[in-house]
């Protein structure tokens, strides 16, 4: 059931969770987490004082989706990215001898 829910947009999951008595909050939370995981997003932990896990995860998921990693620089064998949280990441390989 969680896999089915994860096929929906996080905002839609949150809307249904808010109006349906049959839709448990834990199902919405797991659906949003799986949605993010399937897209390679890392959702931050719920901050202290935030009482609604569904609302927080929906916000975090939509923020990740609207701020995809941006390429800051690239070369023939290396790229540098800045993710939605401002972290700098790099990937690539060193040139082999003779190149």
């Amino acid at each position: 059931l969680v896999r089915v829910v994860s096929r929906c947009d996080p905002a839609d999951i949150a809307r249904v969770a808010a109006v349906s008595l049959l839709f448990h909050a834990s199902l919405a939370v797991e659906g949003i987490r799986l949605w993010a995981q399937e897209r390679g997003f890392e959702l931050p932990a719920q901050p202290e004082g935030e009482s609604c896990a569904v609302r927080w995860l929906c916000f975090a998921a939509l923020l990740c989706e609207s701020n995809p990693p941006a390429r800051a620089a690239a070369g023939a064998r290396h790229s540098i990215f800045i993710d939605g949280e401002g972290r700098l990441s790099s990937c690539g390989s060193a040139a082999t001898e003779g190149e």
Side-chain angles (χ1 to χ4, degrees):
L1 193 53
V2 170
R3 185 156 306 282
V4 171
V5 170
S6 75
R7 300 294 180 231
C8 300
D9 184 79
D12 293 334
I13 296 171
R15 281 186 203 105
V16 171
V19 298
S20 175
L21 298 176
L22 301 174
F23 202 85
H24 298 284
S26 61
L27 180 60
V29 166
E30 292 307 312
I32 294 171
R33 287 188 191 283
L34 183 57
W35 177 92
Q37 180 184 7
E38 289 172 344
R39 287 155 182 80
F41 298 139
E42 184 179 328
L43 299 178
Q46 182 175 338
E48 285 187 39
E50 176 58 62
S51 60
C52 182
V54 174
R55 180 177 54 216
W56 168 251
L57 287 175
C58 179
F59 169 75
L62 293 174
L63 188 61
C64 286
E65 186 178 41
S66 65
N67 293 309
R71 181 172 286 163
R77 299 193 184 322
H78 209 84
S79 294
I80 298 175
F81 301 88
I82 300 172
D83 68 13
E85 295 178 7
R87 294 180 297 209
L88 183 66
S89 301
S90 66
C91 62
S93 61
T96 57
E97 198 169 311
E99 290 185 285

